[in-house]
Every structure is written in structure tokens, then in C-alpha cells.
Amino acid sequence: MFRTALRNVLAHKARLLMTILAVMLGVAFVSGTLVFTDTLGNALRNQSAKSYDDIAVAVTTYADQRDEKSRAIDAATLEKIRGLDGVAGATGRVDGFAGVADPDGKLIGNGWSNSGSNFAPGKGGKDTAYTFTDGRGPTEPGSIALDRDTAKKGEYKVGDTVRVATNGPVKEYTLSGVFTTQDGAVNAGGSLVLFDTPVAQKLFLRPGEFKDVSVTAKPGASDRKLLAAVKPLLPEDAEAKTGQARSDEQAEEIEKGLSGINWVLLSFAGVALFVGVFLIANTFTMLVAQRTKELALMRAVGASRRQVKRSVLLEAAVVGLIASVVGFALGLGLAVGLRSAMSLFGAKIPAGPLVVAPVTVIAAFTVGVLITVLAAWLPARRAAKIPPVAAMSSAHAVATVKSLVVRNTIGGIITLLGTAGILGGAAKGGTDGRLLVGGGTFLALIGVIILIPLLSRPVIALVRPPLRRLFGVSGKLAAQNAVRNPRRTGATASALAIGLTLVTGISVLGVTLGRAVDKVTTDNIKADYMISMASGDALDESALTALEKADGVTAVSPQQAVWLTIGGQGVSASGVTPGDVQQVLAVDTVAGSLGTLEKGQIAVAEKTAKSHGWKPGDTVAVTYDDKKKETLKVGALYKDNEFLSPVLVPRDTVAPHEGKADIREIWVKTEGGASAAHEQALVDALGDNPGMSVMDRQDIRNMFGGGVNLAMNIMYGLLGMALIIAVLGVVNTLAMSVFERQQEIGMLRAIGLDRRRVKRMIRLEAVVISLFGAVIGIGLGLFLGWAIGQTVSASIPQYVLVVPWGRIALFLLLAGLVGVLASLWPARSAAKLNMLTAIKTE
């Protein structure tokens, strides 16, 4: 039986090729993902460990430049640490945002990974954290040093003048040196600017203070003993750990960071394997049907049912093993390709070997072989039931009425359970509702896939009349062939149905959320521009002053974050400019007047006012962040707005109680609306600062809709994977169907059906099957998109379901194209059949 299984694999190489390709794609993604994340994780962990190699104790504080009361490490404390027994040295660090402009004035990097720190030379004049490849470290107020990649991108050389943006006005510095570093931000595609220590302290914290300290030990000194000696010298909220402990923490953070990449890539593998199951099952079902006589003869000469079943499963295992070997090799190539792709996008991956863990090999081969064997189990079970008497007949075994009734009953029950779960989740809403929708979707997909053979006849019957009218005999035969074997048609169409269910659902949700975001921005924002720091940090107040004086500006108001305590409860508030805030943001007054802001009164959101029982004219006792108290009068109530805090306070009222203003964005209205001239005027007013983003209304929409677009792009990638496997499935089905129908095609040719119409018949059959799968998938996807939308509608203002008819039409067009492409080879093969040879074929 083992020899028989191997012989069958070799005898059906061409027919099994598509199955091998489907399994191979899934295994490639599984192995490639695991190898890539293991390699990347190992390299990052090694990098992290290397950066802490010489550090015995790492001290971290949470000092903030905006909070004068936050505790940092002062120079006296740093000297005390240096004087401890066993301490070889202690280096103080400060850091913050620092962005470098390229020759065109644009920011090098992406904002969040642009950082600045201090150059801290030791006794030999060197800072051990950095290796200088050119020049030297900055030791004067007007000099800086840049990492090598940033210097290369900006085309800077030692002695050049470099414009650097921090949270204050942009300044020019002289480049004193270029260095290499293992800093994670630089490796992520960002930049690192080193300043002289006093300059860095003034920019990022306070003169004479450090945010972090790294302690090195003398030979033989215990890290734990040094940790115990350092802790009593630190401020209360400072955190000290051994270098090893800090390295382990970073390793855990790296693992968490990579888990997201892992799940995204593994989801591609999951879709590939899930869709591939139907292709594999279809292939083995057809092979078993074509070998009815052979299997029956084996039963007749003494083979047991178990041996026949084992033979088919062994054949599947061999196919799975071959596919796994090829897929694993491709996976290694995929891992190398992903690593190179990250470098192309600006992320510098630390050097390190390709990591192929034993668990990766086991997982890849287990998945490949197991999926193939499981998919072949039902065909193998059917093969074992073939009676020996079937050897005397040329008829293939057909499904019994009982088996179809059982299948449809099971499919109907699972579909009803899935539908109930989806409807229940939509009604419940929230996180629990989404979980119910997810579980219901899985069951509904399984149920519909089981029912697809039953659905194929009525659905395809709808297109039979137009096919006959438009394409004559070829169209009539194509429609009949598509429903001749409903199980085969259903299994072939399942690949597209699964892919289009996912993508249609996400498209409906994505377009709906996108429209909601557009409506929110359109309804709530009157400003033409929003100014913010690229890093997400607070803007300096000088930016507000500069914008107020810019040409063409008619109104300017910040959103200054303010924290008030009212009645013992903390309330989020915004410091705004009276008279201008209502010109840049939609503040719909429901009671009182916003003009009272100019009198030092406050405006309160409707829900907040209702919860406290406030109305215009009431006085409210507030406590500011500096613990000082004041009584403020409520001058207006306004409708809740996504872009406004629950309380609006005049900036002049809160200014005496705030240290450094926490301004995250500034809204600007210009005369005549947004234009290139106005945007340039704002850029000029801000000193052509590369660290500041000037966004118009479309940029704002894109910013808020970025997550939605990313999710949709991922799902379109899944559609691409499903399409590839769907093409393989249709090609496989048609090729084997042509082989089965050689005699029939020969007869058709003999009675006058020419080659052109034979090709057309096969092409139309493929298109009909593909469109059938697309219709099922799109229908399920619309239902799924509606259900998920219901679970999030309560948390999204102005949510209205939008059906993207244009995209749905495109999906149907793509499905038809899939059918046409998949039919090219089978149609050509059918047309080339010799009619006399085909008629004699049994």
C-alpha cells in the first residue's frame, strides 16, 4: 500500500501540483514569519544586552520640564554616586525631541523617533556610548554631533551648519562630529543629536539636572551591592535596577512589540491554509472519483477499507511533506526579504545570524503535513467505502441522498448558530458584542461552506438564461457543467467566498468609519490648519505668538491641556483664546454666551454640566494644578464635541497657575481659506521649523483615518492571498474536470462544436464558478460589516452605515477576471484534444 501511494503521487504530478502550491504558500508564511521574528528579536535582544554590558546600575526618573516639582538627579547627587565604593564611573543623561532638517528644510526621520541627548565625556574625553567616525563630540554651546545615518541623509559634513528643531524655536549649530550608535530610535529610522551637556539640560530638563544615570562598576564589585548603595541617594520617585534587569525588561518589551508583526503575518498564513484546505479536499475528491475502478479492484483482491483509507492519507502526507519542504525553503527566503524590506523603509536592523529555531521547523512541517492529511480525510473515507463490485462498472461513486441530507442539515444548523451569534453580538454592542460577532462569523462561514453545494444550483440557475442567450450552446453547456458536481463547484468557490467575506466586511466598515471621520472633522473643525509637533510633544508658547502675527491669519486658538479639581473630582479642561475658539472649532452653544469667556468666565460641555447640575450664572470653586483655589463663573453651555474638552477656560485665567503651558495643537483660521500662500506664511512664521507639522483639513482627516486605512490595506493583502489560491483551485478543478470529460468533449467536437466554442465553454464555466463564490462572499461580507458596525456605532459620533457599491462592483469584476485567468490552460488543453482519441478514452 505504501508503494501504491508513492506510485499514485508520481502518476498525478501535474494534478497535485496545485495542491502543493497551496500548502507551500501557507507553510512559507508560517516559517518565514517565525524565522523573521526570531531573527529580529534575537538581534534586538543582543543589541539591548550589549548596550547594558558595562552598566552595573541604571537609574531612571520621571522628571518633566513642564513640571517644576518633578524630581531629577542633580549634580550633587551624581557626585555622591561617583564617590561610592566599587563605582568606576557614573554618567548623567537627559533626552528629548530633537529633529534635524535636510537640505530642503524637511524633517529627517518620522518625529516620534527623532531624539536628542547630551555628550558626556569621561576622563579620557570620550563618551563610551558613542564611537566617533569623524570629528569629535560637542563641547561648546553652539556645536552638535549627529549619528552617521542622519548626517548621510542630510548630506552634512563636519563644520557644516545644521538646523535643529526642539520644542522651542529652531536653531542653527555647527556640526563637530559624526558617530555610530546602537540606539534603538536610530535603528528604527530616526535620528540622534548630541548637545553639550549644559545645552541639553536647558533644552530638555533644567540646568544642572539629569533625567537618567548609568553606573559602571570596578572589577569585582557586586551589581546588587551597588544597587543597594545607590538607592538611598535617589529621589523618591526614581527607579534603579541592575543593568541585567534593565536588559531583561527591554527584551520583554521587544517580544511584545514583535508580537503584533507576528500576528499580522501569521494571519496571512492562516488564510492561505484555511482556503487551501478546500483546494486539497477538492483535488483528492476528484482523484478518488477518477480512481474508482482502481480502488474497487484493490478491495476485490483483498485490500481492507482501512488499507485503502491509509493509502489515500499516506498519499496526502507525501504531498504535504513535499509542499512543506519547498514552503520552508521559501519561508527562509521570505524572512531574508522581510529583513531587507525593513531596511528599505529606513529601519536599520542590527546585524545577526538568521535564527531557525527547532520549534519553527517542527511547526512548519507539522502544519503543512497535518493540514494536507486533514483535508484529505473525507475523500479517503469515501474511498474506503467503495465496494468491490464497483470494479465491474465504469460509473464513478456518487454521493447518496442520505449523505447530502446529513450534510445540508449539519450545514443549516451551524449557519443558524453563526447567524444567531452575529445578530446577538450586533444587538449587545461593545467588546463583548464584537467577540460574539467574531465567533458567529466563524460558524457562519463554516456553515455556508458546508451548504455551498446546495446553494450552487439555485444561484447558478439565475445566470443560465442570459448565458444561453449571449453565448448559445457554449453558455448552456457551461452552466450545466458548473452544477453537474455541486460539491466540486462549492469547494472551488469557497476560496473566493472566504476572501471576499473578509474584505467586503472590512470595506463596509472601513468606508463607513472613514465617512464618519470625515463628517466629524467637517462638522467640528472650522479652522483651515492645525499646528502640532511632529514628535507629539507640547508646542512652545512662542509658536502661538508667531502664528498670531502671521500674514492672512484671522483667528488662532490653542488647545492647552489644563487639569482642574472641582468638588474633589479631576476635570479635563482646555485653555483657549476667547473670541477665536468659536471661529476655529464648532462650539454649538445651548445656553448662555461664549462671549463670557472674554470676561474670564468658563464654558462647560452639556453632559458635564448636567452631571454636576450646573447652569449659566452658577459659580464653581476650582483648584488649579499649583493647589491654588479660585471661584469661576459658568458663562455658557455647549454641545459635546470630539475636539473639545469638557471645560473651556480662557488662557489668561490659567496662565498664572501653569508652569510651562502644555499646548498639543494650535488651530488657525486664514482669510479666504487654505491655500499654498497661507501655508507658506505659517511655515515662515514658525521659522521654517522642521519639527512642526502644518496640516490642512485633508491632512487632519488622513491622520484620524490612518488606522482604518491600515486595517483595510492588511485585509486587501489577505484578499490577494485568497485570490492566488482561488486561481489555483479553479485551474485544478477545471484541469481535472477536462480530464474526466475527455470522452464527452470528443463527442461534442465530433458533432460540430469547434475549438473556439470549446474554449469559450470552459472559460464561461470558470467565470460562473468564480462569480458564484464572489456573490456568496460579498453577501456574507455585507452582513458581517453591518454587524461589526453596530458594535462600534455607539462610540462613534454620526455613525451611518455606508455600502461601497463601487468597490463591490470591482470585487465582482476581479472574481470574473480570476475565472478567465484560471481557465486559460484548461481551456487550451480541452480545445487541443484529438476528438477520435478522446472518444476512445474510457
Side-chain angles (χ1 to χ4, degrees):
M1 298 303 293
F2 179 71
R3 287 197 300 271
T4 301
L6 290 179
R7 185 201 67 194
N8 284 326
V9 171
L10 295 173
H12 303 106
K13 293 188 292 291
R15 296 179 220 170
L16 291 171
L17 177 62
M18 303 302 173
T19 298
I20 290 173
L21 287 173
V23 179
M24 178 191 74
L25 286 172
V27 172
F29 269 100
V30 170
S31 57
T33 297
L34 295 176
V35 170
F36 171 69
T37 51
D38 285 347
T39 299
L40 183 58
N42 180 67
L44 292 174
R45 282 191 296 273
N46 289 341
Q47 180 192 65
S48 174
K50 186 177 180 182
S51 64
Y52 285 100
D53 270 351
D54 300 325
I55 296 176
V57 178
V59 180
T60 303
T61 71
Y62 299 95
D64 191 333
Q65 189 179 35
R66 293 189 302 273
D67 184 3
E68 294 288 342
K69 297 179 181 179
S70 62
R71 301 290 301 278
I73 308 295
D74 57 27
T77 302
L78 184 60
E79 287 303 318
K80 288 178 183 178
I81 294 173
R82 286 171 177 164
L84 292 173
D85 290 338
V87 172
T91 304
R93 300 283 183 195
V94 287
D95 59 68
F97 169 73
V100 179
D102 66 13
D104 296 326
K106 303 298 182 182
L107 183 68
I108 297 175
N110 47 31
W112 62 267
S113 60
N114 297 114
S115 59
S117 187
N118 61 303
F119 176 67
K123 294 179 181 178
K126 292 184 178 180
D127 190 330
T128 56
Y130 311 104
T131 302
F132 279 81
T133 58
D134 194 12
R136 57 180 178 79
T139 53
E140 298 90 22
S143 63
I144 60 164
L146 293 176
D147 67 273
R148 184 168 58 186
D149 289 343
T150 301
K152 183 177 179 181
K153 291 173 185 175
E155 301 176 3
Y156 292 121
K157 296 179 181 178
V158 173
D160 287 351
T161 298
V162 182
R163 299 178 71 248
V164 180
T166 55
N167 287 345
V170 65
K171 294 182 180 179
E172 293 185 344
Y173 298 86
T174 301
L175 183 62
S176 66
V178 176
F179 59 88
T180 59
T181 177
Q182 293 299 316
D183 184 271
V186 175
N187 287 331
S191 62
L192 178 60
V193 183
L194 293 182
F195 299 88
D196 181 38
T197 295
V199 174
Q201 289 174 325
K202 186 177 179 181
L203 286 172
F204 304 130
L205 193 54
R206 290 179 287 271
E209 294 186 355
F210 297 95
K211 187 175 181 180
D212 305 318
V213 173
S214 299
V215 181
T216 55
K218 292 179 180 178
S222 167
D223 291 356
R224 291 188 177 276
K225 287 183 179 179
L226 283 180
L227 177 63
V230 168
K231 277 187 174 181
L233 303 177
L234 303 177
E236 286 183 10
D237 57 350
E239 185 179 64
K241 293 186 178 181
T242 63
Q244 183 61 50
R246 187 71 73 189
S247 177
D248 293 341
E249 274 186 0
Q250 284 203 0
E252 288 182 15
E253 291 173 4
I254 289 166
E255 291 290 343
K256 290 178 182 178
L258 291 175
S259 64
I261 300 174
N262 228 346
W263 280 111
V264 170
L265 294 175
L266 285 176
S267 64
F268 281 80
V271 169
L273 292 169
F274 186 54
V275 176
V277 164
F278 302 100
L279 191 157
I280 298 163
N282 214 14
T283 300
F284 277 93
T285 297
M286 294 173 71
L287 286 175
V288 167
Q290 291 173 9
R291 289 158 48 198
T292 300
K293 274 193 169 185
E294 174 191 330
L295 295 173
L297 281 170
M298 289 173 64
R299 292 290 315 283
V301 297
S304 66
R305 286 188 174 186
R306 182 176 295 178
Q307 284 178 309
V308 171
K309 183 177 178 181
R310 193 182 300 157
S311 172
V312 176
L313 291 177
L314 184 59
E315 189 176 334
V318 172
V319 170
L321 184 63
I322 294 170
S324 297
V325 170
V326 179
F328 186 77
L330 281 177
L332 295 179
L334 178 63
V336 173
L338 286 171
R339 187 170 177 171
S340 300
M342 288 189 72
S343 299
L344 289 175
F345 284 106
K348 184 181 177 184
I349 307 302
L354 202 66
V355 177
V356 184
V359 68
T360 301
V361 180
I362 294 169
F365 280 83
T366 300
V367 165
V369 175
L370 189 63
I371 289 292
T372 312
V373 171
L374 285 176
W377 183 79
L378 277 176
R381 188 168 172 270
R382 292 194 199 105
K385 289 183 176 181
I386 295 175
V389 73
M392 308 301 296
S393 171
S394 61
H396 298 324
V398 295
T400 63
V401 173
K402 180 182 177 182
S403 69
L404 290 174
V405 170
V406 171
R407 176 189 178 121
N408 293 336
T409 302
I410 293 172
I413 292 171
I414 294 175
T415 303
L416 286 174
L417 288 173
T419 303
I422 294 173
L423 291 173
K428 189 174 183 64
T431 303
D432 292 340
R434 285 190 286 276
L435 289 174
L436 271 175
V437 170
T441 300
F442 179 75
L443 289 176
L445 268 175
I446 297 297
V448 169
I449 287 166
I450 294 173
L451 288 175
I452 270 187
L454 179 66
L455 297 172
S456 63
R457 289 186 182 277
V459 174
I460 293 176
L462 295 175
V463 300
R464 189 178 297 171
L467 280 176
R468 185 168 56 248
R469 284 195 298 270
L470 293 172
F471 302 102
V473 175
S474 296
K476 179 181 179 181
L477 290 172
Q480 290 175 345
N481 289 334
V483 294
R484 177 183 294 182
N485 190 330
R487 280 183 170 174
R488 185 166 63 205
T489 298
T492 305
S494 295
L496 268 176
I498 293 166
L500 283 171
T501 295
L502 296 173
V503 175
T504 303
I506 292 298
S507 292
V508 170
L509 189 62
V511 171
T512 300
L513 292 179
R515 293 281 177 86
V517 169
D518 284 349
K519 192 162 180 57
V520 166
T521 53
T522 301
D523 290 355
N524 294 327
I525 298 175
K526 294 181 178 179
D528 298 311
Y529 297 98
M530 184 182 84
I531 316 299
S532 62
M533 292 296 296
S535 61
D537 292 334
L539 288 154
D540 191 79
E541 287 188 84
S542 60
L544 181 61
T545 305
L547 290 169
E548 289 172 340
K549 298 176 181 178
D551 292 338
V553 172
T554 58
V556 178
S557 180
Q559 280 263 56
Q560 179 179 333
V562 178
W563 190 252
L564 304 176
T565 303
I566 303 175
Q569 295 181 352
V571 178
S572 174
S574 289
V576 298
T577 303
D580 283 6
V581 63
Q582 57 265 48
Q583 296 184 52
V584 296
L585 295 172
V587 189
D588 295 332
T589 308
V590 295
S593 170
L594 285 175
T596 56
L597 286 172
E598 298 183 31
K599 301 176 183 179
Q601 298 179 18
I602 62 174
V604 184
E606 192 173 16
K607 289 181 181 178
T608 303
K610 187 176 180 181
S611 65
H612 288 84
W614 297 336
K615 60 183 182 299
D618 289 350
T619 55
V620 177
V622 304
T623 303
Y624 295 104
D625 204 35
D626 62 356
K627 305 304 179 185
K628 292 185 179 180
K629 298 180 180 181
E630 187 176 1
T631 300
L632 298 176
K633 191 173 184 179
V634 178
L637 304 184
Y638 59 89
K639 288 183 180 179
D640 290 75
N641 185 314
E642 291 297 307
F643 291 87
L644 292 171
S645 297
V647 177
L648 301 183
V649 187
R651 287 193 67 242
D652 292 342
T653 300
V654 298
H657 308 284
E658 296 285 319
K660 190 169 183 180
D662 187 3
I663 302 173
R664 298 292 166 168
E665 64 265 346
I666 301 173
W667 301 95
V668 180
K669 183 77 174 174
T670 54
E671 187 177 1
S675 67
H678 283 150
E679 183 172 341
Q680 188 59 50
L682 297 181
V683 170
D684 292 340
L686 294 169
D688 196 14
N689 192 324
M692 293 184 183
S693 297
V694 179
M695 291 186 284
D696 59 21
R697 293 166 73 89
Q698 187 57 51
D699 293 330
I700 296 168
R701 289 192 189 101
N702 294 339
M703 178 182 70
F704 284 105
V708 175
N709 294 332
L710 177 62
M712 290 183 68
N713 289 335
I714 290 173
M715 294 312 297
Y716 288 143
L718 294 178
L719 172 63
M721 178 63 62
L723 280 175
I724 292 171
I725 297 177
V727 169
L728 297 178
V730 177
V731 170
N732 209 26
T733 298
L734 289 177
M736 299 181 79
S737 179
V738 167
F739 178 82
E740 276 185 359
R741 289 151 45 195
Q742 285 187 72
Q743 193 174 44
E744 174 191 322
I745 293 171
M747 289 292 295
L748 290 172
R749 292 274 288 110
I751 61 175
L753 195 69
D754 58 23
R755 290 184 175 181
R756 181 172 58 84
R757 284 188 285 183
V758 168
K759 284 184 179 180
R760 183 185 297 167
M761 177 185 72
I762 302 297
R763 278 198 298 268
L764 290 173
E765 182 180 345
V767 170
V768 166
I769 292 173
S770 298
L771 288 176
F772 167 60
V775 168
I776 297 296
I778 288 171
L780 272 174
L782 289 172
F783 182 44
L784 177 60
W786 167 82
I788 297 176
Q790 291 299 111
T791 66
V792 300
S793 59
S795 58
I796 298 175
Q798 307 186 36
Y799 179 93
V800 179
L801 183 71
V802 179
V803 179
W805 295 112
R807 297 190 188 192
I808 288 173
L810 178 62
F811 295 157
L812 287 170
L813 183 63
L814 285 173
L817 184 61
V818 164
V820 172
L821 293 175
S823 67
L824 291 177
W825 174 50
R828 187 168 176 271
S829 300
K832 289 175 65 178
L833 283 175
N834 183 289
M835 67 181 74
L836 295 177
T837 304
I839 290 171
K840 291 189 294 181
T841 300
E842 186 176 347

